[in-house]
Amino acid sequence: MRSASGAVGVAFQVGAQPMFSRFTAGGFSPAIAIPCMGGEIRDAARGERVAGDGHLWVRSNQHMFEQDASGFADRGGAPVYPTLFDVAANGAVWIAAESFSDEVLQIWKLPHGGAGWIQTGSLTQAMLGTAGSSIAGGFSL
C-alpha cells in the first residue's frame, strides 16, 4: 500500500503475528511486528501508513499507534471511528469518518507532534441537498 506521504510498504502475517516491511530503493526493509490483530491487515482502510520521515503509524480498531524508538506508542483513540486514515509527508495523521447524523462525513487531523485532534471539515445532509436523495440507492460510503 502507498501512504499519502508517498512511502510504500506491505503488511503480512507470520503465523498469528502481523508484520510490516517498507519498500525503499528497490528492496524491502527488515520486517517488524506491528500492534494490530491479524484480520485487520486485510483491511486497507485500517492498515498501516508510513510518515514522510519513515516512521510507521498503525491503526487497530479506533486506536492509533505511532512507531517510536522503543516500539509503538499507543496515541489513543481517534475522536470518531475512522472509515479511512492516512499520514501525510509532514507526519500529520488524517482520518475520515462516516457519520449517521447530519454530518455524513467528518474529516479530522492530528498535526505532527500535536496533542489533540482537530476537525477540519464535514459533508452535511444540507450540503448534499436534493442530490443525496436522487443518487440511485442513496448516498453512502
Side-chain angles (χ1 to χ4, degrees):
M1 63 189 66
R2 180 178 300 276
S3 300
S5 68
V8 177
V10 62
F12 56 96
Q13 205 163 305
V14 176
Q17 177 61 59
M19 307 289 287
F20 184 85
S21 179
R22 184 170 176 202
F23 185 80
T24 56
F28 286 98
S29 65
I32 59 170
I34 55 175
C36 67
M37 297 181 293
E40 292 179 332
I41 65 172
R42 295 185 199 110
D43 183 352
R46 294 177 184 266
E48 308 73 30
R49 302 292 188 266
V50 183
D53 66 1
H55 79 281
L56 188 62
W57 279 85
V58 176
R59 175 183 162 213
S60 182
N61 291 316
Q62 193 167 341
H63 273 255
M64 307 298 285
F65 294 85
E66 183 179 15
Q67 186 180 25
D68 63 14
S70 60
F72 285 89
D74 185 347
R75 298 299 186 211
V80 291
Y81 193 89
T83 304
L84 301 169
F85 103 96
D86 215 329
V87 180
N90 66 2
V93 177
W94 290 88
I95 61 171
E98 182 176 13
S99 176
F100 300 102
S101 65
D102 180 56
E103 290 182 306
V104 179
L105 178 71
Q106 299 177 9
I107 306 293
W108 291 80
K109 173 184 175 183
L110 178 62
H112 178 65
W117 293 89
I118 302 165
Q119 187 173 6
T120 63
S122 66
L123 176 64
T124 65
Q125 292 286 352
M127 293 167 134
L128 284 173
T130 57
S133 61
S134 65
I135 296 171
F139 177 83
S140 67
L141 297 175

